[in-house]
């Protein structure tokens, strides 16, 4: 059974169907890339998995549990972490306070603090900046903070929405290297990434959305070699 499974999912905003009849899955230990042009429905798909929007048709399950009736907080408790596009850190709070907010679904403050310490060990730059307000960090450091915050809940599935957008090449490589390390530690990843070449280099499989519909899908090596993917995304 896949860790994450979407089957025949439709998602509408107002009267507009943003995603149509989408089926995809992510297995335990996989990195799966979700590609497509702006407006293709990628961010909407992640929002639906997180419970931030509700499908009008179809089924989304995590670990075999149907997510339809669950709140976003319950979906986090079940094991889904979501790092949204644009990072969305709390600029007026310190790095440490932002990380602590990642543990809002936990009742034990001591456990939250233990997990914050573990994330700071994984990401030493956050330990160095822990007393700084998040607004004073560089864009790349804010992205690391957003990822670190999601890790506090120890997700089984980590969803990342454009994690390298706006970053310098060196920092983009750092972020993608972190994604690989997180995956090697046992967390499955669903990766929305504008840099299709980098995403398919990291992922085992990929899906390509076009105007809300699933177009191509398959193993990452096959997609990298597909003429349609090359022309549309790889240049």
């Amino acid at each position: 059974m896949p860790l994450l499974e979407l089957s025949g999912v439709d998602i509408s905003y107002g009267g507009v169907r943003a995603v149509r009849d989408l089926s995809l899955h992510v297995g335990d230990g996989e990195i799966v890339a979700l590609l497509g042009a702006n407006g293709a429905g990628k961010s909407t798909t992640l929002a639906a998995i997180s419970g931030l929007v509700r499908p009008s048709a179809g089924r989304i399950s995590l670990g075999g549990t149907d997510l339809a009736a669950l709140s976003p907080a319950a979906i986090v408790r079940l094991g889904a972490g979501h790092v949204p596009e644009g990072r969305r850190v709390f600029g007026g709070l310190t790095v440490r306070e932002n990380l602590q907010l990642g543990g809002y679904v936990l009742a034990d403050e001591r456990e939250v603090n233990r997990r914050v310490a573990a994330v700071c060990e994984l990401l030493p730059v956050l330990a160095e900046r822990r007393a700084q307000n998040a607004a004073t960090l560089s864009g790349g450091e804010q992205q690391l903070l957003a990822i670190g915050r999601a890790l506090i809940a120890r997700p089984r599935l980590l969803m990342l929405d454009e994690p390298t957008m706006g970053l310098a090449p060196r920092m983009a490589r750092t972020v993608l290297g972190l994604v690989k390390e997180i995956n090697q530690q046992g967390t499955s990843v669903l990766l929305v990434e504008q840099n299709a070449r980098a995403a398919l280099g990291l992922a085992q499989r990929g899906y390509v959305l076009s105007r809300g519909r699933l177009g191509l899908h398959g193993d990452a090596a096959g997609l990298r070699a597909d003429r349609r993917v090359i022309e549309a995304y790889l240049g």
Side-chain angles (χ1 to χ4, degrees):
M1 176 187 297
L3 174 60
L4 172 73
E5 187 167 21
L6 280 68
S7 179
V9 169
D10 286 4
I11 308 166
S12 297
Y13 285 117
V16 178
R17 290 174 71 190
V19 173
R20 300 170 180 241
D21 194 28
L22 176 60
S23 296
L24 62 79
H25 71 274
V26 179
D28 276 314
E30 276 195 308
I31 299 178
V32 174
L34 184 59
L35 307 177
N38 289 338
K42 306 183 301 297
S43 295
T44 299
T45 298
L46 299 193
I49 297 166
S50 291
L52 301 175
V53 298
R54 297 296 181 181
S56 53
R59 184 178 189 269
I60 303 175
S61 64
L62 183 67
T65 299
D66 191 337
L67 303 186
L70 300 184
S71 68
I75 291 171
V76 172
R77 290 189 188 96
L78 192 62
H82 186 177
V83 181
E85 181 181 350
R87 300 178 281 275
R88 301 187 192 177
V89 298
F90 295 93
L93 300 182
T94 66
V95 166
R96 180 175 180 80
E97 288 167 338
N98 270 273
L99 291 173
Q100 289 172 324
L101 285 173
Y104 74 97
V105 297
L106 303 174
D108 187 342
E109 184 178 349
R110 290 174 298 178
E111 178 61 21
V112 172
N113 290 333
R114 282 194 289 268
R115 295 187 186 190
V116 168
V119 167
C120 286
E121 185 175 348
L122 176 67
L123 296 167
V125 67
L126 299 185
E128 294 167 8
R129 307 276 198 273
R130 62 184 176 273
Q132 289 182 220
N133 280 6
T136 68
L137 302 181
S138 70
E141 290 167 344
Q142 288 186 12
Q143 185 64 67
L144 296 178
L145 175 57
I147 295 172
R149 183 177 60 193
L151 293 177
I152 298 297
R154 296 187 178 167
R156 293 186 287 168
L157 171 73
L158 182 63
M159 297 178 289
L160 296 149
D161 196 348
E162 303 287 9
T164 71
M165 181 180 288
L167 302 185
R170 182 176 179 181
M171 181 54 78
R173 289 193 294 271
T174 296
V175 168
L176 292 175
L178 173 61
V179 173
K180 183 176 182 179
E181 183 175 357
I182 291 167
N183 174 251
Q184 288 173 338
Q185 292 178 359
T187 303
S188 299
V189 175
L190 181 56
L191 175 63
V192 170
E193 173 55 50
Q194 61 178 343
N195 185 337
R197 189 181 304 278
L200 292 174
L202 198 61
Q204 287 83 48
R205 295 187 302 108
Y207 296 87
V208 181
L209 292 183
S210 177
R211 298 181 180 179
R213 292 185 180 275
L214 180 61
L216 305 171
H217 63 95
D219 67 88
L223 290 174
R224 285 199 307 270
D226 191 296
R227 175 184 52 79
R228 294 163 292 181
V229 175
I230 292 170
E231 291 176 354
Y233 304 104
L234 303 182

